[in-house]
């Protein structure tokens, strides 16, 4: 970790648009009593990269450079330049009066841990490496029939049950509900416990404090009772509630003679071991930036901070490490998304919203590949998985990769799962621990259930594909969502969790709910070290 002094200096250097190359250069800078004369010399010489030799050259321009204690502000009587390449003019030409102390702009959070020396090359020198593992675009086959729905649930059950069995998280081999029911008299005491695996249905809390629910597998449905704990039982301590249609295992036995219920002694969730990330190689150490919910077309789109971000992209050294810019849905506000939306729109035509977004994204430097997912405000089917935006819309965008929602992809081998996050609405409505100001809890709940949107028929429309692609089969290195307009950067069991920030100010609806969004924060991740920075533009 860097020292505090270096962190302050580093911040001044990055504010001035300078990149330090190599440990020798860093040591030289640390040894200076003040870096201001060198900053001035670098600025007037139009120098951006500071290696050891350039620092020596710059310091040679600074009067009395050996004792800079006397040369912090007012003693500096001139501004000095290195010769431009191919220019023979002598070093040390005085071109202007000196500036006073450089003003430090509001700076990124966490940048002291985001070491520019981790990047041997600029992003523009490194070729793109995007590999898509799952994207529904062009592959949706459902006709929405009952058998499609059944196949989708069977696919979910078998995928997650296989994960439970192969990761040995169940106390014994599960049996089918029909087999359990046939032998219910035998499995009717704690000495004859069995384990079932199925979809949880109809969970409700009884007055007694028991959780009543059903489990369903391919062979039948069984009523289950989880009694309230007589002590601080580990089951109830973690019982946050069950999501409708999530896959669980239950261990217990039958009780009662007429219509016996299954008395649950333990609930098993799918496996989620500590994940070991797969970093990008040192020779492809680049960053990815993440944002969501730009909501272009809305009157509450924040245009001034956007200009500030574009300026940052064009001028900040950190921006030169960014190779990818992932936009996780709701790029535009859309039209007719909710009743009365029209009066909140600055751009009322959907295609104009998209072409204006294309114009704004065109300002992002060319070396950055933009990856665009749709969200629930976009002009695609709302049922998830959603396909990518229409080719007619895509043609306005010069350099973007359009994918569906969710999308599972790799950037230089780093596995990213990007999901807009509509199902967070369902997690908030169901689980006791989840609220809109903590979307990361819903994200952890998704990982723990190995499913992005388990509940059918609630707030998240789902497309019943024969294979349930909302199952999280592969644990990602980076899991990113948006949708609820918060912001979070953290870790859960080895996975980098990002809740991407929005570019929309508080809406009337959010004001009514008392919800304060966290707009205009760019999340940046070093794909080699997984160091993160969150850069605010308001
Ligand atoms: Fe949104
Ligand atoms: Fe959304």
């Amino acid at each position: 970790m860097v020292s505090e002094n270096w962190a302050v200096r580093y911040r001044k250097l990055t504010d001035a648009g300078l990149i330090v190359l190599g440990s020798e250069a860093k040591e030289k800078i640390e040894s200076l009593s003040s870096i201001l004369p060198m900053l001035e010399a670098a600025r007037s010489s139009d120098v951006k990269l500071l290696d050891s030799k350039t620092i020596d050259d710059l310091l040679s321009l600074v009067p009395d450079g050996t004792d800079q204690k006397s040369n912090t502000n007012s003693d500096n009587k001139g501004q000095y330049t290195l010769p431009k390449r191919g220019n023979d003019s002598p070093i040390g030409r005085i071109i202007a009066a000196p500036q006073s102390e450089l003003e430090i702009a509001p700076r990124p959070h966490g940048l002291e841990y985001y070491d520019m020396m981790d990047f041997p090359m600029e992003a523009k020198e490194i070729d793109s490496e995007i590999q898509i593992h799952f994207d529904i675009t062009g592959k949706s086959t459902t006709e929405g029939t009952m058998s499609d729905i059944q196949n989708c649930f069977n696919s979910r059950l078998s995928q997650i049950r296989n994960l439970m069995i192969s990761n040995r998280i169940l106390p014994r081999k599960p049996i089918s509900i029909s087999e359990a029911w046939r032998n219910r008299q035998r499995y009717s005491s704690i000495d004859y416990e069995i384990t079932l695996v199925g979809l949880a249905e109809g969970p409700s809390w009884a007055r007694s404090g028991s959780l009543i629910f059903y489990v369903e597998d391919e062979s039948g449905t069984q009523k289950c009772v989880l009694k309230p704990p007589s002590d601080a039982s580990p089951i109830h301590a973690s019982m946050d509630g069950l999501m409708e249609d999530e896959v669980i295992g239950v261990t217990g036995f039958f009780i009662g003679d007429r219509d016996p219920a299954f008395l649950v002694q333990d609930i098993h969730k799918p496996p989620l071991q500590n994940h070991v990330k797969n970093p990008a190689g040192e020779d492809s150490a680049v960053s990815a930036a993440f944002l969501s919910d730009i909501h272009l077309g809305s009157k509450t789109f924040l245009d001034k901070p956007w200009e500030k971000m574009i300026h940052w992209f064009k001028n900040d050294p950190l921006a030169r490490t960014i190779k990818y810019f992932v936009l996780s849905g709701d790029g535009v506000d859309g039209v007719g998304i909710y009743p009365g939306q029209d009066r909140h729109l600055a751009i009322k035509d959907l295609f104009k919203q998209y072409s204006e977004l294309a114009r704004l994204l065109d300002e992002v430097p060319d070396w950055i590949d933009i990856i665009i997912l749709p969200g629930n405000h976009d002009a695609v089917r709302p049922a998830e998985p959603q396909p990518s935006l229409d080719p007619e819309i895509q043609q306005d965008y010069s350099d973007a990769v359009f994918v569906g929602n969710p999308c599972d992809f790799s950037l230089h081998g780093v596995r990213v799962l990007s999901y807009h996050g509509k199902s967070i609405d369902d997690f908030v409505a169901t689980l006791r621990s989840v609220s809109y100001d903590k979307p990361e809890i819903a994200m952890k709940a998704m990982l723990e259930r190995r499913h992005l949107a388990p509940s059918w028929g609630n707030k998240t429309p789902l497309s019943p594909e024969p294979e349930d692609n909302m199952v999280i089969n592969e644990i990602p290195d980076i899991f990113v969502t948006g949708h609820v307009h918060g912001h979070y950067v953290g870790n859960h069991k080895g996975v980098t969790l990002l809740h991407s920030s929005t570019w929309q100010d508080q809406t009337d609806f959010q004001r009514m709910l008392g919800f304060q969004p966290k707009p205009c924060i760019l999340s940046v991740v070093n794909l080699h070290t997984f160091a993160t920075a969150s850069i605010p533009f308001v």
Side-chain angles (χ1 to χ4, degrees), residues 118-120 126-127 129 277-288 321 323-324 410-416 477-478 525-531:
D118 286 336
F119 300 92
I126 294 172
D127 291 336
E129 205 182 301
K277 291 192 189 89
N278 184 34
E282 208 170 341
D283 54 349
S284 50
V286 289
S287 304
T321 75
K323 184 75 196 163
Y324 306 99
S410 291
L411 303 173
H412 299 280
V414 174
R415 194 106 179 199
V416 181
D477 299 313
I478 298 172
V525 181
N526 175 343
L527 297 180
H528 176 56
T529 64
F530 293 99

Side-chain angles (χ1 to χ4, degrees), residues 114-184:
Y114 205 88
D115 196 333
M116 299 300 288
M117 280 187 280
D118 286 336
F119 300 92
M121 283 188 281
E122 294 196 6
K124 64 178 154 199
E125 297 170 74
I126 294 172
D127 291 336
S128 287
E129 205 182 301
I130 306 173
Q131 194 186 357
I132 309 280
H133 306 292
F134 170 70
D135 173 0
I136 193 70
T137 310
K139 301 188 190 85
S140 175
T141 57
T142 184
E143 292 173 356
T145 61
M146 273 311 289
S147 85
D148 284 331
I149 296 170
Q150 205 160 17
N151 289 340
C152 184
F153 280 125
N154 285 343
S155 158
R156 176 187 305 184
L157 179 55
S158 84
Q159 287 183 69
I160 297 179
R161 183 171 50 207
N162 287 344
L163 285 172
M164 287 175 160
I165 293 170
S166 61
N167 285 275
R168 299 167 191 273
I169 58 140
L170 300 172
R172 63 182 65 74
K173 190 168 178 275
I175 62 172
S176 70
I177 287 172
S178 62
E179 188 191 338
W181 182 256
R182 267 199 311 277
N183 298 299
R184 61 189 175 280

Side-chain angles (χ1 to χ4, degrees), residues 395-428:
Q395 66 189 9
D396 280 346
Y397 295 72
S398 48
D399 265 323
V401 178
F402 289 87
V403 294
N405 168 48
C407 188
D408 172 11
F409 57 97
S410 291
L411 303 173
H412 299 280
V414 174
R415 194 106 179 199
V416 181
L417 176 59
S418 179
Y419 170 52
H420 177 59
K422 177 75 178 102
S423 73
I424 296 172
D425 293 337
D426 287 320
F427 281 90
V428 170

Side-chain angles (χ1 to χ4, degrees), residues 189 248 316 441 459:
S189 85
I248 54 167
D316 197 282
I441 310 278
K459 297 178 184 206

Side-chain angles (χ1 to χ4, degrees), residues 436-437 484-486 506 510-518:
Y436 279 113
D437 59 350
V484 304
H485 298 201
Q506 191 184 45
Q510 289 166 344
R511 193 170 300 117
M512 195 177 78
L513 297 177
F515 177 76
Q516 187 60 53
K518 294 176 185 163

Side-chain angles (χ1 to χ4, degrees), residues 16 21 33 54-56 69 76 167 176 218 228 231 234 247 258 267 364 384 416 429 438 443 453 519:
L21 297 173
S33 57
T54 309
I55 291 170
D56 288 342
K69 281 178 187 146
N76 188 355
N167 285 275
S176 70
E218 302 89 337
D231 51 16
V247 176
R258 285 180 52 208
I267 289 188
V364 173
E384 298 174 358
V416 181
K438 290 214 178 320
M443 295 174 71

Side-chain angles (χ1 to χ4, degrees), residues 181-196:
W181 182 256
R182 267 199 311 277
N183 298 299
R184 61 189 175 280
Q185 286 182 330
R186 187 168 158 219
Y187 304 133
S188 59
S189 85
I190 201 157
D191 297 329
Y192 291 95
E193 280 186 346
I194 51 170
T195 299
L196 313 172

Side-chain angles (χ1 to χ4, degrees), residues 293 295 330 483 485:
D293 298 85
H295 285 270
D330 286 1
H483 180 62
H485 298 201

